[in-house]
Amino acid sequence: MAAISYTSGNNWEFFLSRKADAGAVYGAVDCGGKLVYERLTPSRVPSVVYTKARPVTPLKLFLFPFKESVLPAVSPTENAVVIGPASCDLAGLSILDRVFAGGEFKDPSYPERRARLTIVSVDCQQPYQTCFCESVGVRPYAERLFDVNLTALADGFLVEVGSEKGAQFLEGLQTEEAGGDRLAQRAALREKAARAVREINSQFDLADIPERIRGIEMAERWQTEDVSRCVQCGSCNFNCPTCVCFLLEDTGTPERFEKMRLWDACLFPGYARMAGGATPRRTLFERYAHRLLCKYSYMVDNFGTVGCTGCGRCIAGCIGRIDKRKVLSEVVVSRTPA
Amino acid sequence: MNDNPYQPVRCVVEDLIRESPTIATVRLKPDVPFPFQAGQFVMMTVPGVGEAPFTPSSSPSVRERLEVTVMRAGRVTARIHRLAPGDIVGIRGPYGKPYPLERFRDAHIFLVGGGVGLAPLRSLFLRLVETADAYQSITFCLGARTPQDIIYKDQVFRQWQQICEKVCLRITVDRKDDGWKYQEGVVTTTLDHIQVDAAHSVAVVCGPPVMMKFTTLKLLDIGFSPGNIYLSMERKMYCGVGQCRHCLIGTKCVCQDGPVFTFEELRDTRNPFI
């Protein structure tokens, strides 16, 4: 099979129905105007959406569950396929892979679960008003880290193979040569989506955030009306494709060592509090600053890549209606020399 | 071989030594030898209760036993203070970077500790004494709030007094009582009026944040270079292996890059002493 080929909508749905019948296939479906993942049955295959922006849930949920036993460790045994992550989700994978599988110490379940997950990403064609991938160097279409990538055309899909795992998944799918016209259509759709994201963000100045945010740790600097609306719910942390913070909870008995790993959020007041009560970040503004510094500065140093993929979930899910782009424009860009 | 980083080594509690009203030392016998180097820390679990990071306070040369000195500060440490011989705990690690002893070679070494901060310094001190030939001198400045708050009393007041000719002990308390025959004053006062060849000296400091802050300022005044002042940093920690990101100080991970940093490494950090 060629790296990029074409399959008709009917062929794809027929193929996917068989896959959904045989194993765990998750697809992004419409739920009140938002995309959510559900485990597909063959009859639900026609409901999968391929043209909108990213689903509500971040891809990390498939690899790094909200709550999981790490002692004894869970051994993933099921192969799964997820259809619908966008490029911004894939960008987050590079940080997850680095943290849980790339260092001296490996997470007890992540590497196996990652190996068993086949990721079928889709080109984003209708960005949300909260999307800003283009501002952080991520394109609205996937260029790497996918097993298979789909570009929805009017009557079918361009199917790009990104890995051996992806090629194996596609065995049995009827395809034909992509053809120059369809490849040109794909290029036009991609450029249109990228332009749309840039237009959505034309009012924000988000240039060079990683260079400019460095060292802006003082709480006073972040004490703005927008930030003061934060209710410290942790929605931005939990929805973020790159937030990896977790806590460990001992759940055993005096005779047994058992540990659960749960997501944690750096905006929670107790996040960094030690025995005795001391905490390095007492105020909301310090915690808010820490979150953005972690994304745009610390992760760059730690992992070589910005910890923000522009997915906009932190904006869409914010109870305090804080637009991070506005905060970054005001606090970071407008007050630092270029 | 179990490669789960969260699997602890089972240990039997052999003894619980009351050092002061708030500090106790737990002597552990691990099921298998547990090698570590001075300055590295372990995650110690009380099963069913919780886990916290501690730097062993015993000599790293002793492989079969391990001592951990713990101040009662919260839920887990309160439970540790109620341990009894025969109880089971777990330790995993060792984690973090050890004290860089190769950089101490031929130097005058100053250990400055306060309260429970003496714990990692005792481990280092015992190691230094074992290899004293490699160093010019070892000055151990130690303090506590009151005479009864001094920990390792038997060692401080007896065993260590004549332990080695290169060793000088400077003992102080913030508030003395009637029988006290050493200095009175905060621990930085042990550095008053001393002749220091600062260019060939290193200082290792561990104690409460305010003590570390003022000791650092004092050492800089005396002429120590920021790169020769070693500070133990403390942060909330869960994993110990650089994943949970709770212990970040800026871009540095205390559990992997620390827990000991030079002041040089921390000077650009906002408020490292909390």
Side-chain angles (χ1 to χ4, degrees):
Chain A
M1 185 167 178
I4 305 179
S5 56
Y6 172 81
T7 189
S8 71
N10 281 341
N11 276 342
W12 173 256
E13 287 187 0
F14 176 67
F15 166 79
L16 199 58
S17 301
R18 284 203 339 245
K19 290 282 184 186
D21 206 24
V25 179
Y26 298 84
V29 299
D30 192 284
C31 175
K34 300 273 193 288
L35 293 184
V36 297
Y37 291 112
E38 73 171 38
R39 184 162 173 167
L40 298 177
T41 56
S43 65
R44 288 289 282 167
V45 165
S47 306
V48 176
V49 179
Y50 302 93
T51 49
K52 274 195 176 174
R54 46 85 191 160
V56 171
T57 17
L59 181 59
K60 72 179 176 186
L61 207 60
F62 287 92
L63 297 161
F64 170 42
F66 174 71
K67 179 178 180 182
E68 178 171 69
S69 171
V70 291
L71 189 69
V74 174
S75 297
T77 53
E78 187 183 62
N79 291 333
V81 180
V82 56
I83 296 163
S87 162
C88 49
D89 275 322
L90 297 180
L93 276 181
S94 57
I95 286 177
L96 297 186
D97 288 349
R98 178 74 187 269
V99 171
F100 294 118
E104 182 190 349
F105 300 96
K106 312 271 187 271
D107 182 83
S109 60
Y110 181 95
E112 181 66 24
R113 193 172 278 124
R114 176 84 164 90
R116 289 175 175 275
L117 183 67
T118 301
I119 298 169
V120 181
S121 56
V122 300
D123 282 5
C124 170
Q125 297 188 12
Q126 298 166 42
Y128 298 128
Q129 288 301 308
T130 49
C131 290
F132 61 106
C133 57
E134 287 276 314
S135 306
V136 290
V138 175
R139 312 309 310 267
Y141 46 86
E143 292 169 308
R144 58 188 200 97
L145 289 168
F146 56 86
D147 297 307
V148 175
N149 183 69
L150 299 177
T151 309
L153 305 178
D155 56 348
F157 299 93
L158 282 176
V159 183
E160 183 171 359
V161 183
S163 71
E164 184 56 35
K165 198 160 55 174
Q168 279 174 17
F169 168 73
L170 290 174
E171 276 172 17
L173 174 67
Q174 280 202 7
T175 59
E176 58 191 80
E177 200 179 315
D181 280 358
R182 293 196 184 106
L183 288 174
Q185 270 184 58
R186 180 171 100 151
L189 283 170
R190 289 182 160 190
E191 181 44 39
K192 187 177 160 203
R195 203 165 52 238
V197 175
R198 288 196 295 271
E199 275 165 19
I200 287 167
N201 293 284
S202 57
Q203 58 178 306
F204 303 110
D205 182 1
L206 300 173
D208 308 323
I209 297 282
E211 290 78 39
R212 292 173 183 225
I213 201 171
R214 205 168 277 266
I216 308 184
E217 294 182 16
M218 317 83 85
E220 315 81 65
R221 180 80 177 261
W222 295 86
Q223 217 156 352
T224 70
E225 199 277 317
D226 289 275
V227 177
S228 65
R229 289 200 305 272
C230 173
V231 297
Q232 309 177 53
C233 67
S235 158
C236 52
N237 295 110
F238 290 172
N239 282 321
C240 177
T242 73
C243 270
V244 292
C245 287
F246 61 85
L247 58 81
L248 296 171
E249 181 79 30
D250 274 78
T251 51
T253 64
E255 290 77 40
R256 289 170 62 88
F257 296 109
E258 288 179 10
K259 278 185 205 306
M260 297 293 287
R261 183 190 59 206
L262 291 94
W263 290 0
D264 201 357
C266 61
L267 279 163
F268 291 163
Y271 170 89
R273 188 164 58 217
M274 291 180 280
T279 175
R281 295 177 290 278
R282 288 188 182 285
T283 66
L284 159 67
F285 303 106
E286 287 167 298
R287 292 191 286 278
Y288 191 91
H290 176 80
R291 177 161 195 277
L292 297 199
L293 281 157
C294 178
K295 296 288 159 204
Y296 296 98
S297 176
Y298 306 158
M299 281 188 166
V300 176
D301 270 38
N302 296 153
F303 310 125
T305 176
V306 174
C308 175
T309 71
C311 74
R313 289 185 178 93
C314 55
I315 304 169
C318 182
I319 292 178
R321 300 202 177 285
I322 303 170
D323 193 325
K324 187 174 76 178
R325 296 168 295 188
K326 181 163 173 259
V327 175
L328 286 169
S329 302
E330 288 179 3
V331 174
V332 180
V333 177
S334 70
R335 299 195 209 169
T336 42
Chain B
M1 156 103 194
N2 189 327
D3 53 6
N4 185 340
Y6 302 115
Q7 177 67 52
V9 171
R10 184 179 168 277
C11 302
V12 179
V13 174
E14 285 196 335
D15 199 3
L16 187 88
I17 304 146
R18 303 275 166 204
E19 305 281 5
S20 84
T22 55
I23 299 171
T25 296
V26 194
R27 183 177 301 141
L28 303 173
K29 179 159 187 2
D31 279 358
V32 294
F34 193 92
F36 67 95
Q37 297 177 65
Q40 289 187 298
F41 70 94
V42 302
M43 297 298 293
M44 178 168 158
T45 301
V46 183
V49 178
E51 190 177 49
F54 302 100
T55 302
S57 56
S58 51
S59 167
S61 311
V62 179
R63 297 289 170 94
E64 309 74 38
R65 302 273 187 292
L66 182 129
E67 291 182 359
V68 175
T69 302
V70 177
M71 185 168 78
R72 196 172 60 232
R75 194 175 54 87
V76 176
T77 51
R79 183 67 189 81
I80 290 172
H81 273 235
R82 295 200 305 274
L83 288 172
D87 284 351
I88 301 300
V89 299
I91 53 173
R92 57 187 179 91
Y95 298 125
K97 297 202 167 80
Y99 289 112
L101 295 184
E102 68 287 349
R103 290 176 60 188
F104 296 180
R105 185 163 279 276
D106 294 326
H108 297 281
I109 303 171
F110 290 80
L111 311 182
V112 190
V116 77
L118 290 180
L121 296 184
R122 181 175 73 162
S123 176
L124 173 63
F125 177 71
L126 294 171
R127 181 75 194 128
L128 293 175
V129 168
E130 287 162 10
T131 52
D133 287 349
Y135 317 107
Q136 294 282 336
S137 68
I138 303 164
T139 305
F140 199 166
C141 305
L142 54 98
R145 272 174 302 188
T146 69
Q148 67 164 348
D149 291 315
I150 295 258
I151 63 174
Y152 313 134
K153 291 184 184 69
D154 188 49
Q155 289 166 316
V156 168
F157 299 121
R158 290 193 24 234
Q159 294 175 30
W160 293 350
Q161 292 286 336
Q162 307 291 333
I163 193 167
C164 164
E165 60 192 15
K166 288 197 174 177
V167 168
C168 169
L169 292 186
R170 290 167 171 266
I171 307 165
T172 185
V173 289
D174 298 356
R175 287 187 311 282
K176 65 180 179 182
D177 62 11
D178 286 345
W180 187 249
K181 55 182 183 180
Y182 301 93
Q183 206 174 315
E184 184 183 41
V186 294
V187 74
T188 49
T189 60
T190 59
L191 297 166
D192 287 341
H193 317 298
I194 56 169
Q195 294 297 313
V196 180
D197 175 8
H200 301 100
S201 297
V202 299
V204 185
V205 187
C206 189
V210 66
M211 169 265 176
M212 288 209 287
K213 179 176 179 175
F214 286 101
T215 304
T216 303
L217 294 174
K218 181 95 178 183
L219 291 164
L220 292 170
D221 263 0
I222 293 171
F224 279 79
S225 89
N228 284 338
I229 302 172
Y230 294 86
L231 304 165
S232 290
M233 287 290 116
E234 202 173 42
R235 286 293 184 274
K236 180 71 187 173
M237 213 177 263
Y238 283 103
C239 70
V241 296
Q243 296 181 356
C244 80
R245 292 183 80 73
H246 279 74
C247 67
L248 284 189
I249 297 183
T251 60
K252 297 183 186 73
C253 227
V254 173
C255 69
Q256 293 283 286
D257 303 324
V260 175
F261 297 92
T262 63
F263 182 62
E264 175 89 51
E265 293 172 287
L266 295 172
R267 66 200 301 184
D268 294 332
T269 307
R270 190 189 65 99
N271 190 21
F273 307 106
I274 52 153

